[in-house]
Amino acid sequence: MISADFIRGYVDLLVLESLLDEPSYGYAISKRIEQLAQGQYEMKETTLYSAVRRLEKSGAVTSFQGTHTQGRARTYYRLTDAGRRFYDEKCEEWRQTVALVGRFVRDSR
Amino acid sequence: MDAITSYIDHMFRSLPPTTEVSRARSELLQMSEDRYRELLAEGVSENEAVGRVITQFGNLDELADDLGIRRELDRAGSEGEGASVEFSHEEAEHFLDVRRRGAWFISAGVFVILLGISQLVFFAEGTAGVDGNTETVPLALLFVCIAGAVALFIVGGVSLSRYDRLEHKELRLEPQVATAYRAQREREQGTFVALLAGGVALIILAVAIPAIFVDATSGPAGNRAVALMLVIIAIGVTILIQAGMRRGALDRLTAEGDYAPEKRRSNSITGRVAGPYWMLAAAVFLGWSFIGDAWDRSWMVWPIAGILFGAVVVTIESFSPDKRKVDGGR
């Protein structure tokens, strides 16, 4: 299990990734993250909602009312162009972070 | 499912009903519902599913800044039990009783002061005090009246402050009790407006009395006119205090949507202001009369104080009660 504190700076990246291919809604995003996390990290609902709402306010995603396959109404979130650029920036930031921290990590052998 | 709904309701119940908050609530509820259904479909037991949904729910603290509810959350946290207090029907009735008694004490206090002044003016001979000789007995009587009024204000103030500990909290009534009080408030709306208008009208009429006898204001007839004016002002003021405080108490009971503490504090303001206000008026009157040796003119303090008081009460009552309806719709 990776601690929530460690992921904190990358919650946005996780959420944006779930929206790259198609618009999605709350629980579906949560499930997508759960699958990719493979049990190593669990995102709380409030963390997810807070991220989505923040991204919506900053214009990275837009929301619309859609209908789920089973006929129930859901708020769907769609990635905007700005959101895509933001995702790329976060990915680049992550690569640099990995590279930076990597320079301090010695092989323990 | 009910367990999850009530869990989320509980988390949100001390928060203001803004669109941002209700949106967060419905989105979070939707997510939890979806998760719950899926867990059940996977064959997880109901109890287990509820437990897992609640574990994964998280903490509203994370949403505080995004929802603009940081203040409310912090307040709820710092007060332990929360920003609200359970209030039973009996407690609510008791609260109204205590407020009613407080209103009587305070309006009686004001009445006694004005009566004291009235008899002083009434018994003043001719153009009172021109020779510096005001009767000793009426003056002594006035001070007895003021002392009595102070005692009444203290008793009334104590009964008002009995509920001070609840001042910044939301009173939570059972739904049907709250509805009953809201209906009662609606029913009393007409009476309340009539009393307010009647009180103000009485004061204005009272002020007209010396004006009618204006040519006589210097003689004993003038004194009697002023004395009569004071008695009528006293009646008008009593009506205003009673109406205002009754309304304030009902507002307090029905003001569930009224979250901001500044707004809540405006309740019962009429009752709190009345005592000091009329004491001050008496002080100004006596100060001006004695120091300025202006017994022939100083009665003017009363019509001014009366009309000003009417203005204050009407202002308080038209601004404090229903403001939340405007805010709530945001």
Side-chain angles (χ1 to χ4, degrees):
Chain A
M1 201 73 174
I2 307 282
S3 92
D5 278 338
F6 183 74
I7 302 293
R8 196 166 308 272
Y10 290 92
V11 166
D12 288 355
L13 188 149
L14 271 56
V15 172
L16 290 169
E17 193 278 336
S18 311
L19 298 172
L20 276 181
D21 301 327
E22 53 183 9
S24 185
Y25 61 93
Y27 179 57
I29 299 172
S30 173
K31 226 168 67 174
R32 161 91 186 163
I33 293 170
E34 213 174 295
Q35 272 162 14
L36 288 186
Q38 295 169 3
Q40 283 187 292
Y41 167 70
E42 186 178 75
M43 189 181 288
K44 305 282 189 198
E45 315 283 29
T46 48
T47 313
L48 174 57
Y49 180 73
S50 139
V52 168
R53 190 74 188 101
R54 206 169 44 239
L55 288 168
E56 189 180 5
K57 278 182 186 161
S58 72
V61 305
T62 53
S63 66
F64 62 97
Q65 291 301 315
T67 316
H68 187 249
T69 38
Q70 282 149 29
R72 292 171 61 89
R74 293 285 183 285
T75 308
Y76 278 77
Y77 298 93
R78 180 191 284 124
L79 208 56
T80 63
D81 291 341
R84 249 166 241 284
R85 280 197 300 279
F86 183 48
Y87 174 72
D88 290 341
E89 281 165 26
K90 285 306 263 187
C91 289
E92 183 51 31
E93 184 189 310
W94 171 250
R95 278 189 222 81
Q96 287 176 13
T97 308
V98 170
L100 168 68
V101 178
R103 293 202 287 276
F104 294 85
V105 177
R106 295 190 194 177
D107 287 341
S108 54
R109 245 175 292 153
Chain B
M1 196 59 239
D2 284 350
I4 291 168
T5 313
S6 63
Y7 175 77
I8 291 176
D9 280 347
H10 184 82
M11 302 280 277
F12 275 89
R13 86 169 158 192
S14 59
L15 300 181
T18 62
T19 42
E20 190 69 40
V21 168
S22 65
R23 195 186 141 172
R25 188 189 161 280
S26 71
E27 279 290 282
L28 288 165
L29 185 61
Q30 189 67 74
M31 272 192 253
S32 299
E33 256 182 54
D34 285 348
R35 182 180 304 283
Y36 178 74
R37 272 176 224 288
E38 186 144 310
L39 285 169
L40 285 191
E42 285 169 12
V44 176
S45 79
E46 278 188 35
N47 279 341
E48 168 79 15
V50 169
R52 291 204 355 216
V53 167
I54 287 176
T55 333
Q56 186 129 23
F57 183 79
N59 190 334
L60 280 193
D61 204 51
E62 279 188 279
L63 292 172
D65 296 319
D66 296 312
L67 265 51
I69 51 164
R70 171 61 66 197
R71 224 161 44 99
E72 284 80 3
L73 263 191
D74 287 351
R75 180 145 39 86
S78 67
E79 284 180 13
E81 208 270 319
S84 57
V85 172
E86 300 280 357
F87 222 52
S88 72
H89 189 193
E90 296 85 73
E91 280 175 307
E93 280 298 308
H94 185 66
F95 172 79
L96 283 181
D97 260 4
V98 169
R99 281 287 153 101
R100 195 177 299 132
R101 226 173 309 138
W104 277 113
F105 278 120
I106 287 176
S107 49
V110 173
F111 198 85
V112 167
I113 289 187
L114 289 175
L115 224 53
I117 307 269
S118 172
Q119 58 86 26
L120 178 74
V121 173
F122 187 84
F123 291 112
E125 55 173 90
T127 46
V130 164
D131 50 355
N133 175 26
T134 330
E135 281 80 349
T136 342
V137 176
L139 199 57
L141 209 54
L142 171 64
F143 284 108
V144 170
C145 286
I146 289 181
V150 170
L152 287 166
F153 288 148
I154 290 173
V155 176
V158 168
S159 74
L160 282 183
S161 63
R162 256 171 85 174
Y163 284 93
D164 267 0
R165 70 198 157 83
L166 303 178
E167 200 62 8
H168 304 289
K169 302 200 175 185
E170 178 202 354
L171 302 180
R172 255 196 337 270
L173 296 165
E174 288 164 38
Q176 64 270 36
V177 178
T179 314
Y181 281 125
R182 231 167 281 134
Q184 188 173 357
R185 186 177 176 279
E186 282 303 307
R187 271 201 310 280
E188 288 182 18
Q189 174 79 10
T191 326
F192 170 68
V193 172
L195 286 176
L196 215 55
V200 172
L202 266 184
I203 292 175
I204 292 171
L205 280 178
V207 172
I209 294 173
I212 292 166
F213 295 92
V214 75
D215 47 326
T217 21
S218 44
N223 280 348
R224 251 169 268 145
V226 172
L228 181 61
M229 170 194 82
L230 282 164
V231 171
I232 296 176
I233 287 181
I235 296 170
V237 167
T238 305
I239 292 173
L240 288 182
I241 294 174
Q242 291 282 342
M245 289 184 70
R246 172 70 180 168
R247 177 57 155 227
L250 278 177
D251 275 346
R252 185 70 184 91
L253 285 179
T254 54
E256 320 171 276
D258 201 357
Y259 286 93
E262 321 73 78
K263 265 187 272 161
R264 237 177 270 161
R265 207 168 301 149
S266 65
N267 283 311
S268 84
I269 214 173
T270 306
R272 280 165 208 262
V273 159
Y277 179 94
W278 289 102
M279 295 290 287
L280 189 69
V284 169
F285 171 76
L286 291 175
W288 189 15
S289 304
F290 278 115
I291 300 164
D293 194 22
W295 293 94
D296 54 332
R297 272 165 292 137
S298 55
W299 60 269
M300 280 190 285
V301 167
W302 300 108
I304 295 169
I307 289 179
L308 207 60
F309 185 73
V312 168
V313 172
V314 170
T315 309
I316 291 170
E317 297 308 327
S318 23
F319 282 107
S320 62
D322 282 332
K323 211 177 160 214
R324 69 199 138 91
K325 289 205 178 124
V326 181
D327 283 6
R330 222 176 337 128

